[in-house]
Amino acid sequence: METILSIKNLHKNYGKIQAVNDLSFDIQKGNIYGILGPNGSGKSTTLGIILNVVNKTSGSFSWFNGTSTTHDALKKVGAIIERPNFYPYMTATQNLELICKIKGVSRENIDDKLKTVNLYERRHDKFQTYSLGMKQRLAIASALLNNPEILILDEPTNGLDPQGIHEIRKIIKKIAQGGTTILLASHLLDEVEKICTHVIVLRKGEKLYNGRVDTMIASNGIIEVKAAEDSSEENLINALKNYHETASVNKEDDLLIVQLENDISAATLNRYLFENNIAVAHLVKRKPSLEEQFLDLTRNN
Ligand code: ATP
C-alpha cells in the first residue's frame, strides 16, 4: 500500500478554540476518503493545514512518505478549498489556459479535463453563463490540470440542486476510478456513504472513527421493534433495555430501534420477548445507516 499522506497528532488552536485536537490518520493511494463532521468540527482547518495555507499549532504531517518537501509535494495535489474565481467574461477553455500559464503546467490536458467534468461541449461558452454546478465542475477540471495524485475537495456539493449534486458525485467517482486518490470534507452523511470508501469522523476537532465506510455500516446491526396494539410499549422498552444483547434503545416515529451488542438474529430477540410475555407487531433486523452509526458514535462520546 502506498501512503499519500500521513497526519500525526495534529493540533490547531485559534486562541482558546481547539479547532483540531490530536488528529492522526493516513491516506492510502486509490481510496476515496471523507472527512465527516458537523459545521465547526475542524474539517476545513485540517485541509488548510495539509495544504500549507493554515499554520498548525503542533503535530506533523508528511506527503508521499516524506520523500519531498511539502512545497514540492503540493505540485502533485489538486485542491479546491474555496469557491474558485474564474473570469466571468472568458470561456472555460480561456480560463483554464490562464490557469495553466499561472501554474506552469502544460495546456495539453485542457480538453481531456473538460471532458472528465462533462463541460467539453460548453467549453467556448463564457463562465458567466454557467450554472453553479457547471462552475463547480470547471473548478474540478482546473484542479486536475496537473494530473494530481490526489484531489482534495471541501464540501464539493454545497449549494447545488439535486441534479448538480448527482452530477458532481458521479464525476468524483469517475476520477477515482481513473486512479486518483480523493479526500473530501463533507457534513453530509449520505454524501460520504454514497461516494467514499473510507471515513474519518470528526467532532469538535477530535477523531471519533477512522476506517472503511462499509465496516462502519456493517457493525452488529439493529433491530426495529414495534409493540403489538394491545400491549404496552413501556413494557417492551423495559424488556429491551434489560436484554443482555441490547446496546441501546431509541424511539424513531412509531418504531423502537435496538442497537445490538452482538450480531444476534431477529428470531433470538423474538424468543426472548416471547419468554417475557411480550407480543410485537413488527420485528425486523437491518444494517444501520451511516447516519445511525454517526449518531451512535456522537451519543457515546
Ligand atoms: P465548516 O463546514 O462550518 O467550515 P469545519 O468542520 O470545516 O466547519 P472549521 O472551519 O475547521 O470547521 O472550524 C473549526 C473551529 O475553528 C470552529 O470553531 C471555527 O469557528 C474555528 N475557526 C476556524 N477558522 C478560524 C479562524 N480563522 N479564526 C478563529 N477561529 C476559527
Side-chain angles (χ1 to χ4, degrees), residues 14 17-20 37-46 154-155 185 187 202:
Y14 291 107
I17 297 171
Q18 269 202 314
V20 177
N39 288 338
S41 55
K43 306 181 296 293
S44 303
T45 302
T46 304
D154 195 358
E155 303 280 0
H187 66 285
L202 292 188

Side-chain angles (χ1 to χ4, degrees), residues 104-139:
V105 297
S106 154
R107 290 152 66 154
E108 67 182 4
N109 280 333
I110 290 179
D111 284 353
D112 184 39
K113 302 308 174 192
L114 285 168
K115 284 177 191 162
T116 302
V117 300
N118 303 335
L119 282 177
Y120 185 71
E121 307 298 320
R122 299 287 303 269
R123 67 191 184 284
H124 297 313
D125 291 351
K126 287 190 173 133
F127 178 73
Q128 64 196 8
T129 66
Y130 278 19
S131 70
L132 204 57
M134 292 166 73
K135 288 176 177 170
Q136 181 66 340
R137 283 189 274 136
L138 185 61

Side-chain angles (χ1 to χ4, degrees), residues 98-265:
L98 186 60
I99 288 167
C100 284
K101 216 172 189 177
I102 294 167
K103 285 187 177 173
V105 297
S106 154
R107 290 152 66 154
E108 67 182 4
N109 280 333
I110 290 179
D111 284 353
D112 184 39
K113 302 308 174 192
L114 285 168
K115 284 177 191 162
T116 302
V117 300
N118 303 335
L119 282 177
Y120 185 71
E121 307 298 320
R122 299 287 303 269
R123 67 191 184 284
H124 297 313
D125 291 351
K126 287 190 173 133
F127 178 73
Q128 64 196 8
T129 66
Y130 278 19
S131 70
L132 204 57
M134 292 166 73
K135 288 176 177 170
Q136 181 66 340
R137 283 189 274 136
L138 185 61
I140 294 176
S142 83
L144 293 174
L145 286 170
N146 57 340
N147 289 326
E149 290 269 344
I150 177 168
L151 177 65
I152 298 180
L153 306 159
D154 195 358
E155 303 280 0
T157 59
N158 243 10
L160 304 186
D161 61 17
Q163 171 70 28
I165 290 173
H166 181 70
E167 195 149 11
I168 293 277
R169 290 176 180 170
K170 241 179 24 194
I171 288 167
I172 293 173
K173 284 198 225 172
K174 186 165 79 177
I175 293 167
Q177 276 162 8
T180 308
T181 306
I182 310 267
L183 172 62
L184 64 88
S186 177
H187 66 285
L188 301 171
L189 295 150
D190 83 309
E191 178 148 290
V192 170
E193 197 168 357
K194 284 191 178 119
I195 307 180
C196 299
T197 55
H198 291 70
V199 61
I200 299 117
V201 180
L202 292 188
R203 195 189 57 160
K204 293 186 186 159
E206 281 186 51
K207 184 177 71 184
L208 298 182
Y209 177 85
N210 175 17
R212 292 191 60 90
V213 170
D214 51 11
T215 312
M216 185 165 171
I217 295 168
S219 65
N220 294 320
I222 51 185
I223 297 183
E224 297 174 355
V225 193
K226 190 177 166 187
E229 272 176 20
D230 54 351
S231 66
S232 131
E233 187 179 76
E234 202 184 324
N235 285 348
L236 175 60
I237 292 175
N238 285 335
L240 290 170
K241 283 190 172 163
N242 288 333
Y243 189 41
H244 67 281
E245 297 287 8
T246 299
S248 66
V249 182
N250 292 290
K251 198 163 156 58
E252 234 173 61
D253 302 323
D254 61 345
L255 291 178
L256 297 171
I257 308 294
V258 184
Q259 293 268 357
L260 300 168
E261 291 281 10
N262 294 297
D263 192 11
I264 62 157
S265 68

Side-chain angles (χ1 to χ4, degrees), residues 41-104:
S41 55
K43 306 181 296 293
S44 303
T45 302
T46 304
L47 297 187
I49 292 171
I50 59 175
L51 293 170
N52 256 6
V53 293
V54 174
N55 290 324
K56 62 187 164 60
T57 301
S58 64
S60 63
F61 64 93
S62 75
W63 285 102
F64 307 107
N65 282 319
T67 49
S68 54
T69 62
T70 301
H71 180 263
D72 281 340
L74 290 178
K75 292 180 186 157
K76 293 190 275 180
V77 175
I80 313 169
I81 54 170
E82 293 172 344
R83 213 156 263 302
N85 276 328
F86 292 104
Y87 286 100
Y89 52 85
M90 279 168 36
T91 67
T93 299
Q94 288 167 341
N95 268 296
L96 293 188
E97 280 172 350
L98 186 60
I99 288 167
C100 284
K101 216 172 189 177
I102 294 167
K103 285 187 177 173

